[in-house]
Amino acid sequence: MPKRGYHHGNLKQALVEAALTLIETKGPSGFTVAEAAKAAGVTPAAVYRHFNGRESLIAECALQGHRIFGDLMEHAYAGGHPTALAAFEATGRAYLAFARKFPGHYVAMFESGLSMQANPDLALAASRSRGVLETAAAELSKHIPEEKRPPASMFSAHIWALSHGVVELYARGTPGAKAPFPPEDLLETGIGIYLRGLGLIRPDS
């Protein structure tokens, strides 16, 4: 991969892009501020013009990731789907697509151990994408009798966990990534099993 350097006058973004590459290849704790600076083509001291240190740099990567993710989730949900079920399934596919296209952002967002309490902007951005999935779950839940309807937050959390598990195990080139089925199929069938259990999809005949 060509080296990403500081060539366009945007030092902050050059450092973010350098950090994203390092996060993708070495993990959020596997690189130093000096390495990020070197990859961006600047001195280590230049990093501190915009960031307090590595955690601050990673937090910016995560923040940008959550904003991209929120855009993708909203676009997936509002894509003119014929049914609430189709709209809901689209949000699950968007999760998988994001993890594949933006692996550095994904790791910064979900595997860096950042404190949401210490990063209110990050917490707000993260709540946006969760809110899309919860809205999709609430809309789909309207087809379940009220006395049997799970809370939308629980419904969406289950699908979020399923999506995250498929990504972690089978969609990111990790040791367990050799699955007998494509990740998209695993996610679709997993969501289908869950929705059948709620009575939202008829059992196979």
Side-chain angles (χ1 to χ4, degrees), residues 63-166:
L63 177 61
Q64 293 187 16
H66 276 295
R67 287 172 175 167
I68 295 168
F69 187 40
D71 287 344
L72 289 175
M73 291 288 279
E74 287 183 349
H75 178 75
Y77 181 62
H81 305 287
T83 65
L85 175 59
F88 183 80
E89 290 175 333
T91 62
R93 290 192 295 272
Y95 191 107
L96 183 57
F98 173 81
R100 281 181 157 168
K101 188 171 182 179
F102 300 96
H105 290 91
Y106 182 90
V107 173
M109 291 159 60
F110 298 118
E111 300 177 17
S112 59
L114 293 170
S115 169
M116 291 294 181
Q117 292 181 341
N119 295 274
D121 289 343
L122 186 59
L124 181 62
S127 68
R128 179 181 164 212
S129 49
R130 288 196 303 270
V132 173
L133 188 58
E134 189 167 327
T135 297
E139 188 66 25
L140 189 54
S141 294
K142 292 178 181 179
H143 298 277
I144 302 173
E146 189 171 355
E147 67 276 8
K148 297 181 180 180
R149 188 181 304 166
S153 57
M154 178 184 290
F155 187 160
S156 61
H158 286 161
I159 298 302
W160 190 288
L162 175 61
S163 302
H164 191 78
V166 169

Side-chain angles (χ1 to χ4, degrees), residues 6 11-12 15 42-53:
Y6 171 50
L11 172 59
K12 181 177 180 179
L15 289 166
V42 298
T43 65
V47 177
Y48 295 94
R49 297 179 196 172
H50 295 284
F51 303 104
N52 296 328

